[in-house]
Structures are given as structure tokens and as C-alpha cells.
Amino acid sequence: MDGIDRCIDDEIPFEIPDSWVWARFGQVIFLLSGTDFNPKEYNDTQKGIPYITGASSLSENGVLLNRWTETARVIANYGDVLLVCKGSGYGKTVICDIEEAHIARQIMAIKKFITLDMHYVRLFLQANFDKIKSKGQGVIPGIDRNSVMNLLFPIPPLSEQRRIVEKQRELFDKITLI
């Protein structure tokens, strides 16, 4: 990390296959932190691009649109993983299903990478939900960038990431039938 080799053997939570590697999450992703607007900078008349304000703007199926801005500065794009980092819904994740949107301070975006299956990234965050939530600080609970960036992230080959995602979908589909 930072050009310095560090032993993380004491931190490794479980064994992984030889074809996988451990990394700090922040070493393999780009994390974008949002910024808020004052009310004069957004609208509800669909002028500009969508403005994602917090957990209430996210559903299990994607982004809910109710605000727009013509002065966007911090842009999340289609395929990015959105992570609520502040407020009552902190820890909630969704994959951005719209072309582009400005994200508020309550949201972080993990930018899409071709070397990572973003559904796998989301599964990783969901699997670490309790760990992420335990890092919540302040009167209004929130997650700081370092807590996300320093997570240990097991990285399988891309084909294996896709198999894991597909298996999870298959198993959850069976559970919903019960």
C-alpha cells in the first residue's frame, strides 16, 4: 500500500483459492464522493440530469428519479455501484441503472471497471454490510471513505466473479419460491 509492502496475514478472514488475490478495496476501485446542492441548484421539472440525494433515491431495482440539476459536478454513471454513506439508509447499495446522475454527499459511487464484475462488487459490499455499518460515526450515522477503501477484498478471476453472481441469483430465486 502506498508503495510499501505490508504483511496482512493477521487480517485475512478466510482462505481463498490460488487463482484469487487479496487486495485493499481502495487499491482496485475508484471511489467518488458526492456533494450537496442548495435548493436553487436543483429542480423537480426534469431540467438537467438526475440528482441522487440519498437512500430514499434508491430502490432494490435501481435509482428513483425526483430531482434534477443543470449544474452537475460529481457524476455517477450507468453500471457504477452506489453506496449510501450517510443517514438512516447508510450501507445500502444499488447498481446505477441510469446513464448519468449527480450524487449528493450521502452517496459514494464505486466507478465501473472492466476488470471487475460490478454485481460481484455489490455482493461483496452486501456481504460486508455489518462491518461497514459498524464503522458508522457521528450523530447522523455515516461511513467515511477510509473505512470503505481499507476493506480487504477477495478478487477471483473475472469469469469466477460472474459465476459467483449467477449462483447467488439462482439461489435467491429458489429462496423466493419457498
Side-chain angles (χ1 to χ4, degrees), residues 86-119:
K86 199 102 177 128
S88 62
Y90 78 104
K92 182 178 184 178
T93 63
V94 71
I95 294 184
C96 187
D97 63 341
I98 57 176
E99 194 62 36
E100 62 180 4
H102 175 90
I103 56 173
R105 186 172 57 98
Q106 295 82 351
I107 304 287
M108 292 180 193
I110 296 136
K111 300 302 286 180
K112 184 177 180 182
F113 278 89
I114 59 170
T115 56
L116 292 173
D117 183 299
M118 298 311 282
H119 293 277

Side-chain angles (χ1 to χ4, degrees), residues 35 37-38 40-43 47-49 68-75 102:
T35 186
F37 285 135
N38 68 53
K40 293 178 184 175
E41 295 177 287
Y42 61 86
N43 65 78
K47 291 182 183 170
I49 70 168
W68 289 260
T69 183
E70 296 179 89
T71 57
R73 295 188 292 269
V74 183
I75 308 294
H102 175 90

Side-chain angles (χ1 to χ4, degrees), residues 1-146:
M1 190 181 306
D2 302 325
I4 300 169
D5 287 338
R6 292 188 178 100
C7 181
I8 60 169
D9 287 348
D10 294 342
E11 298 177 60
I12 302 293
F14 52 86
E15 292 293 318
I16 57 175
D18 291 339
S19 60
W20 296 31
V21 295
W22 283 106
R24 294 277 178 206
F25 198 45
Q27 291 179 302
V28 296
I29 56 104
F30 179 77
L31 185 64
L32 186 64
S33 294
T35 186
D36 286 339
F37 285 135
N38 68 53
K40 293 178 184 175
E41 295 177 287
Y42 61 86
N43 65 78
D44 62 1
T45 58
Q46 300 184 17
K47 291 182 183 170
I49 70 168
Y51 174 32
I52 303 171
T53 58
S56 64
S57 297
L58 306 178
S59 76
E60 186 59 34
N61 299 316
V63 177
L64 304 172
L65 304 178
N66 58 15
R67 292 189 181 151
W68 289 260
T69 183
E70 296 179 89
T71 57
R73 295 188 292 269
V74 183
I75 308 294
N77 300 96
Y78 184 87
D80 293 347
V81 175
L82 304 176
L83 169 65
V84 178
C85 60
K86 199 102 177 128
S88 62
Y90 78 104
K92 182 178 184 178
T93 63
V94 71
I95 294 184
C96 187
D97 63 341
I98 57 176
E99 194 62 36
E100 62 180 4
H102 175 90
I103 56 173
R105 186 172 57 98
Q106 295 82 351
I107 304 287
M108 292 180 193
I110 296 136
K111 300 302 286 180
K112 184 177 180 182
F113 278 89
I114 59 170
T115 56
L116 292 173
D117 183 299
M118 298 311 282
H119 293 277
Y120 175 78
V121 169
R122 183 174 183 225
L123 282 178
F124 166 75
L125 291 169
Q126 290 172 325
N128 285 278
F129 183 78
D130 289 337
K131 183 182 282 188
I132 291 169
K133 294 269 294 189
S134 74
K135 304 286 184 182
Q137 304 169 358
V139 175
I140 298 173
I143 306 163
D144 67 284
R145 287 179 62 82
N146 286 337

